[in-house]
Structures are given as C-alpha cells and as structure tokens.
Amino acid sequence: MDATQQSPVERSAIRKVAVRLVPFVALMFFINYLDRTAISFAGPNGMNDDLGLTAAQFGFASGVFFIGYILLEVPSNIALHRFGARKWLARIMVSWGIVSLLFTWVDSVGGLYVLRLLLGIAEAGFFPGAILFLSLWVPARHRSKILALFYLAQPLTTVIGAPLAGLLIEQHGVFGLEGWRFMFLCVSVPAILVGIATWFYLSDRPADAKWLTEEEKTWLTAELEGEAKTKTGGGSHKGGMAAALRSGRVWVLALIYFGFIYGLYALAFFLPAIISSFEESFGTTFTTLEEGLITAIPYVPAAIVLYLWSRDATRRGLRTWHIALPAVVGGVSVPVALYMGSPAATIVVITITACAIFAALPNFWTVPAQFLTGAAAAVGIALINTFGNMAGFAAGYVTGFLNDATGSYAVPMFVVGGLMVLSAVLMVALAKRGRVQTGDLDEKAETSA
C-alpha cells in the first residue's frame, strides 16, 4: 500500500512503532550478533594460538554454540509467548551477557567448548522471539519494512563491530589481559546493561503502550486481530505446537532457511581467517585493525541493499524472486571469490555474496507470519530458526574440517554455494504450489480461480 493511501492514524501508528521499538530491538540484535560472532575475531588474533586450536577445533567451537541454542529454541519461544516478550527477552540478554563475560578467562579448548555451549543455551529464543515480537506489532503489509529496519543491525554489527573488535584486540595488557580477552570483556557488558533496560522499556502489545494514542491502539489492535482470524494455527500451546509440527510449509521454510544461515555463518566465522590468509596468498600484510576494517567492507553495501530490496518488496508486494534471486546470486558468487587474483577482487565478490544473503533474509521472515498465529506462530518461527541454525553448527565445523582436509577454503565454499542455490529452488517450488502468499502467485491464483 502506498503511503498516500494510508489513513493518518495508520501512518502515525506505524511511524511510532518504527521509531520507538525497532531501533531498540535492533540494538539488542546488534549486541546479540556481536557476542555470538566475537569468536571469529578472537580466533585468528591470538585465541587460536594461546589455546592451541586447529581449524577444525575452532570450527567446532564456533558451531557448538548452536547445539544448546537448538535444544532450547522452541521451549524458549513458548515461554516468551506465555510470559511476554518484555520479561523473557530481558532474561535472555542478561543471561548471555554473564556467560559471554566468562570468555575473558577461558584457558583451555574444553573450557571454550563448554562456554560456547552455555552461550547458545543462554541466547536460545532471542532471535525468533524478536521476530515474533515485531510481527505482533504491525499488520502484514508493513512487516517487510519493519523487519528490514530490524535486520539492518546484523550487517551493521560487522561494519561497526569488526573495526571495534580489532581496536579492542590491539589493547594488549589492559587489566593484565591479552587483547582478545579484553575484547570479550568489552562486548559482554552491554548485553547485561541493555537486558536490564529491556525490562522497563518494552511493552508486550499495542494495548499496553503508553506512547500510542487511544486511536492508534484501537487501530493496531483491530488490524492485528482481524489478520489473526484469517489464519490457522492459534490456540493453546499444545495445539499451537501440533499445528506448527504438522505444517509442511514450516518444514520447507526450515530447509530454505538452513541454506541461508549456512552461508551467513560460513561468511561470519571464516571471513576474518580468509583475510588473514591474504599474506600467504598475495604477499600482503595488514594490522589487526586493518583486517577488522577490511572485514567490515562487504557489510556496508549489504546494509544498503538489504534496505532497498526490502523497500521494493513492500512497494510491489512480496514476490518469490525477492527471496529466490538473492539466494542464487549468493550461491554462485561465494565459491568464485576464492579464484580472484587480488585481495580487492576477492572482497568485491564477497561483498556480492553478503548483499545477496542480507537481501533475502528479512523478506524470508515475512512468510511464516502469513499463515501462523498465536502459539503456533511462536512455535513455527522458533522451529524454522532452530532447524536453520543447525547450519550454524554445520557451517563452522564442516568448513573448518574441509579446510584442514584439503588445505584451502575452495571445497567448503562450494558446499556453501550449493546449499544457497538449493534454498532458491525450494522457495520457487513452494511458491509454485501456492503454499506461500507472494504477490505474483496471488495474481495467478486469482486468474486460475
């Protein structure tokens, strides 16, 4: 819907949600992703040497996070639906901040594995909870825009976080700590502080928001309740879980998301290591801060493309190609990056991959809310995220294992590319069967009817 066709109360309500909630939840996501991927900066900058990690061990440490995360993802989102996002998201942030702080003093490979597992347990439910929370605040036609604004936090985490991590790692000796330990100390404290603030700042639903007028509350509540009546899968926790588990769409979407997340985390965990290998491959040397700045390069255009691509999806209505086309581009480009003849050319191709991944993700997350509501939405979104995040474990371990076995990142990057292309194929197949309500298929369905 064009902005000129919206009523004044609609425009003001959506604007207030975008200004009041999205930046704060995006900040939470920023801290979440930075804490989760801090190991990728610590590894090649002292941690691997100090703890004696091989590439496979580093990959396992990166990926073991997702075992605890996966086991508690669905129960955590059910708890969020029961207790409310405000309390549950605050609890999650404080918990992971405390665990993240303990990385400052890790002194063995086994200790690193345990802490990464505990960090996954502590963070379980945050991302699907945040997606569910924002989806409960705006009607479907506004979700691409709202989720895109939220998702900007992820590439910006690397844009800001990579140079910041490099700068912190260079501060050897502060409090008697190695640089990588000092970096863990500094990135964990904000999670605890923002988690406490979350308890007081967020509201669980529009009716509770003191910053909305009565007219805006009434409009949002009526719109969201009207949408809920057109969906299936509400009801009790038990019924909601059964509805989500029986849904073929949920499982296909989980497979699609697996491919996206495999690419995302292969890039996040190993891009710093690939940049560190430029010295051997091309004879170039960089300081830790310079490597951090180079790591950030692909994510600046990725943030821009994410916003513009999602804006186009909002303007046109979500189309199948808004999700499938970026998956194909990412799948083709990621292995090509390793065959470039210079660091600059390699970074250009990696930038294309990053743009593709981030263009697809926020549009993908508008799909589950099309057909799930209530407890089923909480369970379905968590289930998709849980299965997808199995790729977080697989990407870290498999990429490291294949690198050790072959002596290069070529084979593991072809695996990444193949899984992303498979995600595109599955998205098209799902849409062709009319199982998701993208704009082009709605038109075909109306014609055939």
Side-chain angles (χ1 to χ4, degrees):
M1 179 185 292
D2 189 90
T4 59
Q5 299 175 299
Q6 297 172 11
S7 67
V9 67
E10 179 176 1
R11 286 197 298 271
S12 63
I14 298 303
R15 182 174 63 251
K16 286 183 179 181
V17 171
V19 172
R20 171 84 183 194
L21 293 183
V22 175
F24 188 82
V25 180
L27 173 63
M28 297 165 69
F29 187 30
F30 177 96
I31 297 168
N32 172 259
Y33 194 69
L34 184 59
D35 280 355
R36 184 182 303 188
T37 58
I39 190 173
S40 69
F41 305 114
N45 292 295
M47 186 187 73
N48 287 354
D49 291 336
D50 290 348
L51 301 184
L53 295 175
T54 66
Q57 287 174 322
F58 173 74
F60 183 79
S62 299
V64 74
F65 164 95
F66 293 97
I67 294 177
Y69 190 89
I70 287 165
L71 290 176
L72 292 182
E73 186 87 323
V74 172
S76 180
N77 235 33
I78 292 174
L80 181 143
H81 182 75
R82 179 178 178 183
F83 298 114
R86 178 178 63 87
K87 295 177 181 178
W88 200 249
L89 291 177
R91 193 282 305 164
I92 290 174
M93 287 200 74
V94 173
S95 298
W96 97 56
I98 292 171
V99 174
S100 181
L101 187 63
L102 297 177
F103 281 82
T104 307
W105 300 283
V106 67
D107 60 1
S108 67
V109 176
L112 181 66
Y113 291 165
V114 170
L115 285 179
R116 285 290 292 176
L117 179 66
L118 290 176
L119 186 65
I121 291 172
E123 287 191 20
F126 172 77
F127 178 78
I131 292 288
L132 177 62
F133 173 71
L134 292 174
S135 297
L136 294 175
W137 274 84
V138 292
R141 61 184 175 275
H142 294 287
R143 285 190 190 123
S144 287
K145 175 184 176 181
I146 293 298
L147 293 181
L149 292 172
F150 163 71
Y151 238 107
L152 280 173
Q154 195 164 25
L156 291 178
T157 299
T158 306
V159 172
I160 300 170
L164 176 62
L167 183 63
L168 293 173
I169 287 169
E170 289 186 342
Q171 309 308 306
H172 296 287
V174 179
F175 304 133
L177 299 171
E178 291 93 342
W180 63 270
R181 295 183 186 275
F182 180 68
M183 184 266 296
F184 274 121
L185 173 67
C186 291
V187 301
S188 60
V189 172
I192 299 172
L193 297 178
V194 174
I196 294 171
T198 298
W199 184 281
F200 301 99
Y201 187 83
L202 293 185
S203 302
D204 286 318
R205 53 182 183 166
D208 299 330
K210 297 179 181 179
W211 41 272
L212 290 173
T213 67
E214 289 303 319
E215 188 180 14
E216 289 163 347
K217 291 179 185 180
T218 300
W219 180 84
L220 274 172
T221 301
E223 286 285 313
L224 294 167
E225 288 179 352
E227 283 188 359
K229 291 177 181 178
T230 67
K231 302 175 187 177
T232 59
S236 67
H237 296 313
K238 183 178 179 181
M241 178 175 287
L245 291 173
R246 288 196 305 265
S247 174
R249 284 177 290 187
V250 168
W251 287 106
V252 175
L253 288 170
L255 287 170
I256 293 168
Y257 191 56
F258 183 95
F260 289 144
I261 293 301
Y262 195 100
L264 177 67
Y265 281 109
L267 198 64
F269 288 139
F270 288 93
L271 179 56
I274 291 172
I275 291 171
S276 294
S277 72
F278 283 167
E279 180 176 0
E280 180 181 347
S281 302
F282 304 113
T284 56
T285 57
F286 303 104
T287 67
T288 303
L289 178 57
E290 287 171 339
E291 288 181 1
L293 290 169
I294 294 169
T295 301
I297 289 173
Y299 295 91
V300 176
I304 297 171
V305 170
L306 180 158
Y307 177 75
L308 294 177
W309 196 254
S310 296
R311 184 178 179 181
D312 184 78
T314 299
R315 183 175 62 85
R316 295 175 187 266
L318 180 68
R319 308 293 176 124
T320 305
W321 51 264
H322 279 119
I323 301 170
L325 180 59
V328 172
V329 172
V332 171
S333 62
V334 66
V336 171
L338 297 177
Y339 295 93
M340 296 295 100
S342 69
T346 302
I347 293 299
V348 167
V349 179
I350 289 174
T351 298
I352 294 172
T353 304
C355 288
I357 293 172
F358 285 108
L361 285 173
N363 292 309
F364 169 85
W365 277 115
T366 66
V367 176
Q370 292 178 3
F371 60 93
L372 294 171
T373 187
V379 174
I381 290 172
L383 186 63
I384 292 167
N385 193 57
T386 297
F387 192 82
N389 276 288
M390 290 180 184
F393 172 77
Y397 182 70
V398 173
T399 301
F401 174 81
L402 291 176
N403 177 68
D404 281 345
T406 64
S408 79
Y409 285 103
V411 172
M413 290 304 111
F414 272 105
V415 173
V416 173
L419 287 171
M420 290 187 67
V421 171
L422 177 61
S423 291
V425 172
L426 290 173
M427 188 67 220
V428 172
L430 191 66
K432 287 290 185 184
R433 295 184 61 188
R435 302 297 288 167
V436 292
Q437 297 175 1
T438 54
D440 49 349
L441 291 172
D442 283 343
E443 292 167 6
K444 289 178 184 177
E446 290 172 6
T447 302
S448 62

